[in-house]
Amino acid sequence: MPEATPRGLTRLAFGGDYNPEQWPESVWQEDVRLMREAGVTMVSVGIFSWALLEPSHGVYDFGWLDRLIDLLDSNGIRVDLGTPTVVPPVWFYRAHPDALPVSQEGVRYEFGSRGAICHSNADYRAAAANITTRLAERYGDHPALAMWHVHNEYGVPVSACYCDSCAAHFRRWLETTYETVEAVNEAWGTAFWGQRYADFEDINPPRLAPTVGNPAQALDYKRFADATMRENFVMERDILHRLAPGVPVTTNFMTALSQCDSVDYWAWGREVDIVTNDHYLITDGRRTHVNLAMAADLTRSVAGGAPWILLEHSTSGVNWQARNPAKAPGQMARNSLAHVARGSEGAMFFQWRQSRRGAEKFHSAMLPHGGTDTRVWREVVELGASLDSLSTLRGTRTQADVAVLWDWHSWWAQNLAWRPSEDHDPRERADAFYEALYDRHLTVDFAHPEADLSRYPLVVVPALYLMTEAAGKNLEEYVENGGTLVVSFFSGIVDEHDAVHEGAYPGALRDVLGLAVEEFSPLLQGENVRITGPDGSELSGDVWTEFVVPRGAETVWTYAEGLTEGRPAVTRHRLGRGTAWYVSTRLGAEGLDALLGWAIEDAQVVSRVDLPRDVELVRRAGESGTYLFAINHTASDAKVPLEVSGTELLTGERAAGRLEVPAGGVRVVRLDG
């Protein structure tokens, strides 16, 4: 797992994407002066600059970048140097039009946006390797270089291409993965609908067809597309490692489930030297700070618990949503410090100076169109000073209470066509369970279903339709050894090839849950179902019900109406030294809180139900000490009990007994001892 840190960076990362090529050089001196005023420690440069660095094939212009990096270096600002391979120049596409990706419908995209790349294209790979090599040879030993930033946001906006080059590459990938075409036929179940293949050359990508195609083929193509992007990253990374040894290499992830669904970040996290992430608030009426916390926890988990870096977020509004509200006063700092609480080694933005032209000219920036006499600028300067006061926590790790299992392959599989109900959204269940844990003030680690779970007293499975036999055995051993497990419906159903596990549902989870599901019974849109407890209390579910048959599990709540009336709705199974809970309907917030309350009691986890809603308490700990973050997302002042006294780092004041956290404010206490 990644453990590196940016070379030469002695404070938390603070800065953003710097695109000086959009401005005359006379502006650069002012930019650097203002960066120093704001406390900027690192900027990302060159990410979209291929057309300037190589204005025509084999003709290079590095002079402007030389002057820029030297200027930053002379002012003590570290550089996260991009390889500009997300935006090949127009001359490249005119010479190699087949490097533009083709949609599933057979339409070839045109030049004029970003990320329009066929990752299987040999000419693109050669050109990307060449510009990466040129950059590494020129800047690999530059004293300002802190780390390399390969490409930009892989998977956004195009992850999969369906052209003939990709078809040939897919066949090679299948041959490497399965070795024989007979093994492909077996994995894909091609006996169904007479799809059997006699040769690898018969196989194409899952292009547009008159009705639903083979789901196992579609799932493998998602894996192939992800692996192909990762191959290109590894190619560039290895060039940089060879020519600039000791300089860490990253690429910016988008781990939030609201922002990217085409990348297996468990696999990518193993390939980067430092995990970095971009996060933007989705203003869809939800509590945006919960989505932020979830994304930060997921990023830290992809990093194996190691510190990571928030490489992009926004100072205020973005420009790509239907409606883009500004952030409230203080929200930028609160968002930034919430990421730091959950493991980030700083807070960086897109971008430094707000663009006057182009698609993102209304996206907020550290230096707005209005300049330094603006609220955003004043808050940027204040945030820079705040981050500087937190430098001692570098290298510490966020402490988690529970684990949530997540697997991108399962998400891909469940979202394919022809499932029992389109209303069952795995992301919605992940969000809902996470929010319920968040409201009990529990810090979450995410984990792969086959990971070691022994350190967690409670493990939650919101939605794992696809589960390998190894994962099922892993959860069974976890419970037998004393763990508490909570599983939501439609989990453990299929194996890694989207084939239903033999026997009754829920296949891989039958034994650990102590039950069988005879039949799914999804509800119609808008339909609800009552469930009752042994004390006569009631909860409500929607979207889904099941015909559950206990085989060792005890019934805790029962369906009170509908086709499943009288059947178990929530069960509890004691296995070995542990307990496994199962819920077979979609519970709302009240029901999830009740379910998790019972499981938390079994797991003997302490949840801070005495704290106000939307006041976060998160700890980071390491050699430099233990740090308590108290983040108040409410409009009222809050008081947080302190078991251990300490020093509040943002104000320098002593804190003991009860910590006062102002409305919308953040306090960070370095605890004594």
Side-chain angles (χ1 to χ4, degrees):
M1 283 298 179
E3 292 285 350
T5 58
R7 191 179 66 166
L9 190 64
T10 58
R11 295 179 291 166
L12 294 177
F14 181 59
D17 283 36
Y18 184 33
N19 299 292
E21 58 269 33
Q22 299 178 18
W23 307 91
E25 288 198 31
S26 58
V27 177
W28 298 3
Q29 293 289 343
E30 179 190 6
D31 279 334
V32 171
R33 178 182 65 80
L34 292 174
M35 286 179 190
R36 294 185 65 176
E37 180 180 330
V40 166
T41 60
M42 185 168 71
V43 293
S44 303
V45 301
I47 297 168
F48 302 107
S49 301
W50 194 343
L52 295 177
L53 295 170
E54 191 178 4
S56 60
H57 178 58
V59 176
Y60 303 97
D61 179 8
F62 293 106
W64 67 272
L65 188 55
D66 292 345
R67 295 189 296 276
L68 173 67
I69 294 179
D70 288 344
L71 176 62
L72 293 166
D73 183 41
S74 65
N75 284 272
I77 298 169
R78 310 296 294 165
V79 173
D80 168 38
L81 184 55
T83 66
T85 51
V86 69
V87 283
V90 67
W91 60 257
F92 170 80
Y93 284 122
R94 294 301 174 250
H96 308 288
D98 56 346
L100 287 162
V102 173
S103 73
Q104 194 170 12
E105 294 76 19
V107 176
R108 190 177 295 279
Y109 295 108
E110 184 47 277
F111 174 82
S113 182
R114 65 171 189 176
I117 297 165
C118 168
H119 283 276
S120 295
N121 185 270
D123 295 309
Y124 167 75
R125 291 185 173 206
N130 177 67
I131 191 64
T132 299
T133 299
R134 298 277 179 165
L135 286 165
E137 290 173 340
R138 192 172 190 94
Y139 301 109
D141 59 356
H142 197 289
L145 183 61
M147 62 182 187
W148 293 103
H149 181 310
V150 170
H151 205 268
N152 185 72
E153 295 177 348
Y154 280 98
V156 179
V158 178
S159 59
C161 170
Y162 296 81
C163 72
D164 290 341
S165 293
C166 287
H169 191 185
F170 183 44
R171 295 176 197 120
R172 294 193 299 272
W173 182 86
L174 289 171
E175 191 165 6
T176 299
T177 302
Y178 291 102
E179 297 185 354
T180 67
V181 73
E182 289 79 12
V184 174
N185 284 317
E186 175 65 23
W188 289 4
T190 57
F192 186 78
W193 280 1
Q195 296 171 344
R196 189 168 185 82
Y197 297 103
D199 192 276
F200 282 108
E201 291 303 312
D202 294 335
I203 301 174
N204 276 322
R207 294 166 173 154
L208 185 65
T211 187
V212 174
N214 187 315
Q217 178 188 14
L219 176 58
D220 263 351
Y221 204 74
K222 288 179 180 291
R223 290 172 171 142
F224 159 75
D226 176 61
T228 302
M229 291 188 293
R230 198 161 59 250
E231 283 177 16
N232 285 352
F233 167 78
V234 168
M235 173 195 69
E236 292 191 45
R237 181 204 64 192
D238 290 351
I239 291 170
L240 298 169
H241 278 171
R242 176 171 54 85
L243 297 176
V247 181
V249 181
T250 191
T251 185
N252 46 338
F253 295 168
M254 297 193 75
T255 63
L257 305 186
S258 55
Q259 291 174 289
C260 184
D261 63 358
S262 59
V263 175
D264 176 9
Y265 286 116
W266 293 126
W268 283 77
R270 295 189 292 269
E271 301 294 348
V272 297
D273 299 324
I274 303 173
V275 166
T276 63
N277 195 51
D278 298 351
H279 182 264
Y280 293 98
L281 301 182
I282 304 298
T283 52
D284 59 359
R286 306 188 194 197
R287 298 154 71 199
T288 57
H289 55 278
V290 180
N291 176 273
L292 184 158
M294 183 176 177
D297 284 344
L298 188 50
T299 306
R300 182 188 68 254
S301 302
V302 166
W308 54 279
I309 297 176
L310 175 65
L311 209 54
E312 286 185 29
H313 71 316
S314 65
T315 56
S316 192
V318 297
N319 70 299
W320 39 263
Q321 299 183 79
R323 296 161 190 83
N324 298 287
K327 290 186 177 180
Q331 187 179 2
M332 175 182 64
R334 190 166 66 252
N335 290 165
S336 300
L337 294 174
H339 283 287
V340 174
R342 295 176 185 273
S344 177
E345 299 279 70
M348 297 183 66
F349 297 89
F350 181 84
Q351 58 181 324
W352 163 254
R353 182 183 283 270
Q354 196 168 12
S355 300
R356 290 186 56 225
R357 298 176 176 86
E360 296 187 282
K361 56 182 170 289
F362 297 118
H363 191 294
S364 61
M366 300 175 76
L367 183 60
H369 290 308
T372 57
D373 190 20
T374 57
R375 172 179 69 89
V376 166
W377 172 255
R378 288 187 287 272
E379 291 192 16
V380 163
V381 174
E382 184 178 353
L383 175 59
S386 297
L387 288 174
D388 197 43
S389 69
L390 302 179
S391 291
T392 58
L393 60 73
R394 292 175 71 240
T396 60
R397 295 189 174 215
T398 301
Q399 298 179 320
D401 303 298
V402 301
V404 170
L405 300 193
W406 182 256
D407 181 22
W408 278 273
H409 292 230
S410 178
W411 193 16
W412 298 340
Q414 188 176 331
N415 281 344
L416 296 172
W418 287 12
R419 299 311 187 221
S421 173
E422 66 178 17
D423 295 327
H424 177 25
D425 177 1
R427 179 201 154 191
E428 183 278 332
R429 281 295 80 187
D431 286 345
F433 272 90
Y434 182 90
E435 189 166 0
L437 293 166
Y438 178 96
D439 283 341
R440 285 182 167 267
H441 303 279
L442 296 172
T443 302
V444 170
D445 273 349
F446 286 84
H448 187 274
E450 296 181 17
D452 179 8
L453 304 171
S454 59
R455 67 183 180 277
Y456 301 109
L458 174 65
V459 170
V460 175
V461 179
L464 279 178
Y465 160 76
L466 183 154
M467 184 176 287
T468 63
E469 289 187 9
K473 187 64 176 176
N474 187 42
L475 293 183
E476 186 175 347
E477 292 176 355
Y478 165 76
V479 173
E480 287 177 337
N481 290 328
T484 300
L485 178 69
V486 177
V487 177
S488 187
F489 61 92
F490 204 47
S491 293
I493 306 302
V494 300
D495 66 13
E496 60 269 33
H497 303 300
D498 197 46
V500 174
H501 287 286
E502 289 190 15
Y505 311 129
L509 292 170
R510 277 196 311 266
D511 293 340
V512 68
L513 295 176
L515 54 82
V517 174
E518 290 184 346
E519 191 176 1
F520 308 131
S521 185
L523 301 177
L524 298 179
Q525 188 173 18
E527 193 175 3
N528 294 282
V529 63
R530 289 185 300 112
I531 64 175
T532 58
D535 58 356
S537 57
E538 288 191 357
L539 294 172
S540 178
D542 65 2
V543 170
W544 195 273
T545 63
E546 293 177 344
F547 291 89
V548 175
V549 179
R551 292 180 178 172
E554 61 179 296
T555 300
V556 181
W557 286 71
T558 304
Y559 288 110
E561 58 188 353
L563 291 179
T564 55
E565 182 177 358
R567 298 271 191 154
V570 176
T571 62
R572 182 182 188 221
H573 184 218
R574 300 179 188 274
L575 182 66
R577 303 199 311 272
T579 305
W581 291 82
Y582 183 64
V583 55
S584 62
T585 187
R586 191 176 80 164
L587 297 176
E590 179 185 2
L592 285 180
D593 182 69
L595 171 65
L596 290 173
W598 303 323
I600 284 168
E601 186 175 341
D602 278 349
Q604 299 181 346
V605 173
V606 178
S607 61
R608 301 294 300 272
V609 292
D610 57 321
L611 292 173
R613 190 173 190 252
D614 292 326
V615 175
E616 295 183 37
L617 281 190
V618 184
R619 290 176 183 251
R620 287 184 62 158
E623 291 184 3
S624 65
T626 299
Y627 300 81
L628 177 69
F629 284 74
I631 305 171
N632 186 356
H633 296 284
T634 77
S636 303
D637 296 346
K639 292 185 178 181
V640 174
L642 284 180
E643 297 178 1
V644 179
S645 60
T647 301
E648 204 291 305
L649 298 181
L650 301 178
T651 63
E653 298 175 354
R654 290 291 296 170
R658 296 183 74 82
L659 176 66
E660 294 193 10
V661 188
V666 180
R667 292 292 179 260
V668 184
V669 179
R670 183 176 181 178
L671 301 175
D672 295 337

